[in-house]
Amino acid sequence: MRITTRKALVPLVALALFGAACTSDDGDDATTDAPADTEAPADTEAPADTEAPADTEAPDDTVEVVQGDGSTLQAVQDAGVLRCGTRDALPGFAVLTEDGDHVGFDSDFCRVIAAAVLGDAEAVEHVDLETADRFTALQSGEIDVLVRNTTWTASRDGTEGATFLTTTFYDGQGIMVGADSGFETITDLDGVIVCVAQGTTTEGNAANEAARLGLDWEVRAFESTDLIQEAFIAGQCDAWSSDRSQLVALRSEFPDGPEALAILPETFSKEPLAPAVADGDTEWAQAVNWAILSTIQAEEFGIDSTNVDTFSDTTDPSIQRFLGLEVEGDDGAAVLDPGLGLPTDFAAQVVSQVGNYGEIFEAHLAPLGLERGLNSLWNEGGLLYSPPYR
Amino acid sequence: MTGVVSARVPLWRDVRVLKWALQLAVVGLVAALLVWLYGNYVENTAEQNIPTDLGFLDNPANFQITGNPLSQNAPVRDALYEGLLNTLRISVVGVVAATLLGTIIGIARLSKNWLVSKLAAVYVEAVRNVPLALFLVAGLLVVVLGVFPTIQEAWDLGGLVIVSNRGVAVPWFDGAGYGLLMFALVGVVTGLAVARWRRSVSDRTGALARSGLWAGGALLLVMTIGWFAFGYSWTLPELDGRRTVGGMRVDPSFFALFFALVIYTASHIAEIVRGSIQAVPRGQGEAADAVALSGFQRMWYVVLPQAFRIAIPPIGNQYLNLIKNSSLGAAIGYYDITLVAQTTVGNGSPAVPVFTLTMLLYISISLVTSVIVNYANRRMALVER
């Protein structure tokens, strides 16, 4: 029905061209997708999985098979550039420098994904998004992946058409006041105006927390953190609430100096910040997920950007598998291809071009005064845990 | 006989048939385009598991509307409703204020006083050539955050008005609700009736109607009766720590948006008023002078009624512009329907239904405004006959 109407329309209505330009791509994909999606992986990838150790050319075969179905992974590899939704002015996470570079924790995870998928950490187009626009950008395919300190929640997973992946930063909401305000704990804040960013989980959390503690807060939302800062300096806000990592970052850049602000000790929500991709493309989600996980696994192995080359003659089979080196097996030496659609050496590319999780954290977040805390490896008391790469 | 005629003009050369066929074809194509776009939308959202129904309206909104007691747990439906009310509030107040300011400035541009006319000209040229969004941000950053004091140093204007960057608090009716509003409506209706009566008296006796004064007096009288009959009182704003209590607090975002919309729209209305006054034949003013009307009377009874007949349709357009421009308030945190829609989409409501609903609401507001303006236009046109 849809196909016939399109065939009838395209030659007839010049007006339809605009609409067609926006949607016919999707339409074409949808019509060709259906057979490719269901048949290609079932027929050709399954054997590739089992035979991979014996056949070193398996990865090339897999890639060619995938080329048929026009998935996001293939589209990104064809374009040679990853469109990564991020922001331009959150110190430590993503800042657009005067030279036009995006620097920060989130920006580096964009690079991690590009290094894994494309083998080039700089093949990233950083797309600056406002908070309220980010999911629309993801749904419409304007970006391939969203790495924009976004909290993973059930309703975002469910109704925003987003699939959240491994958390890159475990955060919690806190509250910041003027150092000379006299507020010591959260319960001192009664009858105050609390300023937050529009369209964030922070907005609802603050209202819920005030209700829970029986405090009278007026929650006032602003479009951008710049505006909150203006309002805070002018005295329109008594307190500023956001994820603690953001508060630390904003405090470090405060015009009157960080000592003019104090962050109260209470943390009142769970804010796992995770990258997200659009629903409905499992292959792409898995590829991005393993790119992120490789930074955690690398840190666990003690592999970083400075020493990754020295592991080329390692004898530890799990490290050999991880770095895409040949592993001695019963049928001779072979490279592990887990069938993710990524190059077999993607982890080595990620670590050598960007670094492991600890390096990324040290480079961007430690200078702000953030502790590793929950964002330590599982064997060091944190929550970072990568499933085994085998 | 008829059979012969129809055989001579075949169907495909019958002009009437061709006209109908063409129109049907165009309608069919447009309908097919819409069906096709809708089909694509449904399929693409289904692929991403995004709901397309209106069930989201019952989900908790999970955000608070600044200056509104609505809980964050209230459903999205209620939040959208409050947003709609905020859009209507700024529109009604803005339309009234912009009309008054625009008319005064339009008349001032034609003043014989050099200073007054030049000041009005500078105002119009300066304001209508600057983007509205700039006025908005200036209203917030320069006026509210730059000029207004902090709550600790708030300006207390005779105990009546308290100005700070957390809002402008003014005296307001205590417990005022729909009861008082009803009395205001009764007062307006009474005022209109009184004005009508005065005009008929004027027609019979030739005495000056002064219908405006009479109508205003009637309105005041009804309001005063209602006031005492129902025991309304009013409260003054007071400073209480970091807040003001009592009275009514006008939010800074409302203030900045109001300021920007009125200043901007008034400059356009002023030009319409000026042009309309100049379009009234010169002889009308001269005739008014000849029967020794004063300057005000000449304007009020002779020139303006004729000028407004010309001005109503273009001013109506400016009203529609003002209503639609109020959506720019989203940029400065005024929770109108647009900002509520944006926020709720950011919080998990599906974008397409939310924005479709928002667009329908704007269309409804605009159509109702057009109906009112057209009604006024017809009434004014009849007066001339």
Side-chain angles (χ1 to χ4, degrees):
Chain A
M1 158 76 187
R2 213 163 49 76
I3 302 165
T4 51
T5 48
R6 190 172 67 237
K7 276 182 182 161
L9 279 173
V10 171
L12 282 174
V13 191
L15 217 156
L17 284 177
F18 175 67
C22 302
T23 43
S24 66
D25 283 348
D26 297 337
D28 288 341
D29 286 352
T31 46
T32 49
D33 252 0
D37 260 352
T38 47
E39 287 166 21
D43 287 354
T44 46
E45 275 192 4
D49 259 351
T50 48
E51 287 169 20
D55 179 7
T56 47
E57 286 190 4
D60 291 339
D61 286 346
T62 332
V63 169
E64 275 170 20
V65 168
V66 174
Q67 265 170 358
D69 73 358
S71 69
T72 309
L73 178 61
Q74 193 53 48
V76 169
Q77 283 173 344
D78 285 347
V81 63
L82 173 82
R83 293 168 305 165
C84 188
T86 182
R87 58 196 291 177
D88 56 5
L90 182 62
F93 283 89
V95 176
L96 182 60
T97 65
E98 287 170 7
D99 307 328
D101 295 332
H102 280 78
V103 176
F105 184 82
D106 281 349
S107 308
D108 266 3
F109 273 100
C110 292
R111 293 192 178 89
V112 163
I113 299 162
V117 175
L118 302 167
D120 179 3
E122 294 309 315
V124 180
E125 184 190 332
H126 298 268
V127 181
D128 296 325
L129 298 171
E130 287 299 327
T131 307
D133 303 333
R134 52 190 165 178
F135 291 110
T136 322
L138 191 64
Q139 291 160 9
S140 64
E142 186 186 338
I143 54 173
D144 302 313
V145 58
L146 180 71
V147 190
R148 192 192 177 285
N149 61 328
T150 303
T151 303
W152 176 5
T153 70
S155 35
R156 284 175 173 175
D157 240 349
T159 55
E160 293 283 18
T163 296
F164 281 88
L165 306 170
T166 301
T167 300
T168 52
F169 192 88
Y170 291 93
D171 211 338
Q173 187 170 344
I175 206 158
M176 182 160 70
V177 295
D180 55 1
S181 64
F183 297 124
E184 299 282 334
T185 70
I186 200 166
T187 46
D188 294 343
L189 293 167
D190 198 10
V192 296
I193 295 183
V194 176
C195 293
V196 298
Q198 270 167 21
T200 59
T201 47
T202 336
E203 213 175 347
N205 287 343
N208 285 328
E209 183 66 5
R212 194 178 69 81
L213 297 171
L215 300 172
D216 180 18
W217 290 1
E218 182 182 319
V219 179
R220 180 174 278 274
F222 289 84
E223 194 186 28
S224 68
T225 45
D226 297 345
L227 273 182
I228 304 181
Q229 181 160 306
E230 292 288 337
F232 195 85
I233 292 171
Q236 200 184 54
C237 315
D238 297 305
W240 186 347
S241 185
S242 188
D243 297 348
R244 293 186 76 84
S245 64
Q246 283 207 43
L247 292 179
V248 169
L250 294 163
R251 180 171 174 255
S252 73
E253 301 269 307
F254 196 62
D256 299 344
E259 59 281 353
L261 297 171
I263 297 175
L264 299 182
E266 292 87 353
T267 300
F268 55 81
S269 75
K270 292 193 287 188
E271 305 286 338
L273 309 183
V277 297
D279 265 357
D281 191 345
T282 317
E283 183 190 40
W284 174 237
Q286 287 169 346
V288 172
N289 210 20
W290 278 96
I292 306 285
L293 288 169
S294 70
T295 62
I296 296 170
Q297 185 64 64
E299 186 179 11
E300 191 181 325
F301 282 142
I303 307 172
D304 64 32
S305 59
T306 58
N307 69 9
V308 62
D309 293 337
T310 66
F311 282 89
S312 56
D313 51 0
T314 182
T315 54
D316 181 341
S318 46
I319 294 183
Q320 285 172 335
R321 277 194 293 270
F322 180 64
L323 293 178
L325 302 171
E326 291 198 335
V327 187
E328 287 298 332
D330 296 343
D331 308 334
V335 170
L336 170 68
D337 175 31
L340 292 168
L342 292 170
T344 46
D345 67 339
F346 79 92
Q349 295 296 340
V350 165
V351 177
S352 65
Q353 294 189 35
V354 188
N356 67 28
Y357 186 94
E359 284 182 284
I360 298 172
F361 192 99
E362 288 303 317
H364 302 296
L365 300 184
L368 301 174
L370 279 171
E371 305 282 332
R372 282 297 286 272
L374 289 177
N375 298 293
S376 305
L377 292 179
W378 61 281
N379 52 11
E380 291 165 13
L383 295 173
L384 300 182
Y385 184 101
S386 169
Y389 188 81
R390 63 172 180 251
Chain B
M1 172 80 183
T2 50
V4 175
V5 171
S6 63
R8 261 212 310 249
V9 183
L11 217 54
W12 60 89
R13 288 182 58 195
D14 188 328
V15 174
R16 285 167 306 173
V17 172
L18 285 179
K19 273 182 177 168
W20 270 101
L22 193 67
Q23 305 228 6
L24 282 177
V26 169
V27 169
L29 282 177
V30 171
L33 179 67
L34 291 177
V35 166
W36 171 61
L37 286 173
Y38 183 74
N40 266 358
Y41 158 66
V42 168
E43 181 168 316
N44 289 336
T45 48
E47 265 175 31
Q48 298 182 29
N49 298 325
I50 301 170
T52 52
D53 61 344
L54 292 176
F56 68 92
L57 285 173
D58 296 320
N59 295 344
N62 220 20
F63 67 96
Q64 276 188 316
I65 293 175
T66 306
N68 193 298
L70 198 68
S71 153
Q72 73 276 7
N73 297 321
V76 170
R77 183 193 306 279
D78 292 3
L80 285 170
Y81 176 69
E82 293 298 328
L84 177 65
L85 286 187
N86 275 345
T87 293
L88 293 177
R89 276 188 198 112
I90 191 74
S91 300
V92 169
V93 180
V95 158
V96 171
T99 309
L100 289 177
L101 185 64
T103 307
I104 291 169
I105 290 170
I107 294 172
R109 273 209 79 175
L110 296 172
S111 169
K112 294 198 179 75
N113 184 321
W114 184 87
L115 186 64
V116 170
S117 72
K118 288 300 169 225
L119 276 179
V122 167
Y123 172 89
V124 168
E125 290 308 327
V127 169
R128 70 174 178 163
N129 290 313
V130 172
L132 175 57
L134 216 58
F135 279 112
L136 266 181
V137 179
L140 186 74
L141 292 184
V142 178
V143 179
V144 173
L145 295 183
V147 176
F148 285 10
T150 60
I151 190 85
Q152 287 85 0
E153 297 160 357
W155 299 332
D156 190 338
L157 308 181
L160 290 175
V161 180
I162 295 178
V163 179
S164 78
N165 59 23
R166 295 187 180 191
V168 178
V170 296
W172 197 242
F173 310 107
D174 193 18
Y178 290 106
L180 201 63
L181 194 69
M182 286 311 295
F183 262 95
L185 277 178
V186 171
V188 168
V189 171
T190 316
L192 288 176
V194 167
R196 196 183 195 121
W197 169 68
R198 282 303 302 169
R199 275 199 297 274
S200 71
V201 167
S202 169
D203 287 347
R204 272 202 322 272
T205 65
L208 276 180
R210 297 205 191 284
S211 50
L213 285 179
W214 276 83
L219 172 64
L220 265 181
L221 188 70
V222 172
M223 293 288 283
T224 313
I225 292 171
W227 184 272
F228 285 110
F230 280 81
Y232 286 121
S233 62
W234 57 325
T235 62
L236 296 175
E238 261 178 80
L239 268 183
D240 175 35
R242 298 160 182 278
R243 295 270 181 88
T244 54
V245 293
M248 181 179 66
R249 202 188 60 181
V250 182
D251 196 75
S253 60
F254 182 92
F255 197 84
L257 182 60
F258 174 76
F259 164 86
L261 281 179
V262 169
I263 299 252
Y264 181 79
T265 313
S267 71
H268 289 265
I269 292 181
E271 279 300 272
I272 294 169
V273 169
R274 178 187 63 80
S276 305
I277 290 176
Q278 285 177 329
V280 174
R282 188 173 288 268
Q284 294 286 325
E286 288 167 356
D289 286 340
V291 295
L293 294 185
S294 72
F296 172 80
Q297 287 170 334
R298 185 179 72 152
M299 203 43 115
W300 189 253
Y301 293 109
V302 179
V303 179
L304 278 187
Q306 300 182 64
F308 269 112
R309 187 169 51 79
I310 305 166
I312 281 177
I315 285 185
N317 283 341
Q318 292 303 324
Y319 291 169
L320 295 182
N321 279 346
L322 185 143
I323 292 166
K324 289 180 287 180
N325 284 342
S326 72
S327 63
L328 282 172
I332 56 166
Y334 181 69
Y335 272 98
D336 72 330
I337 182 75
T338 308
L339 182 51
V340 171
Q342 275 178 14
T343 309
T344 189
V345 166
N347 278 354
S349 299
V352 175
V354 169
F355 283 112
T356 308
L357 201 62
T358 309
M359 281 191 257
L360 286 177
L361 287 173
Y362 272 110
I363 291 174
S364 309
I365 298 173
S366 291
L367 288 181
V368 168
T369 311
S370 293
V371 165
I372 295 171
V373 169
N374 286 343
Y375 175 75
N377 192 29
R378 271 205 310 279
R379 287 298 303 269
M380 292 296 275
L382 271 180
V383 171
E384 190 217 17
R385 223 171 319 253

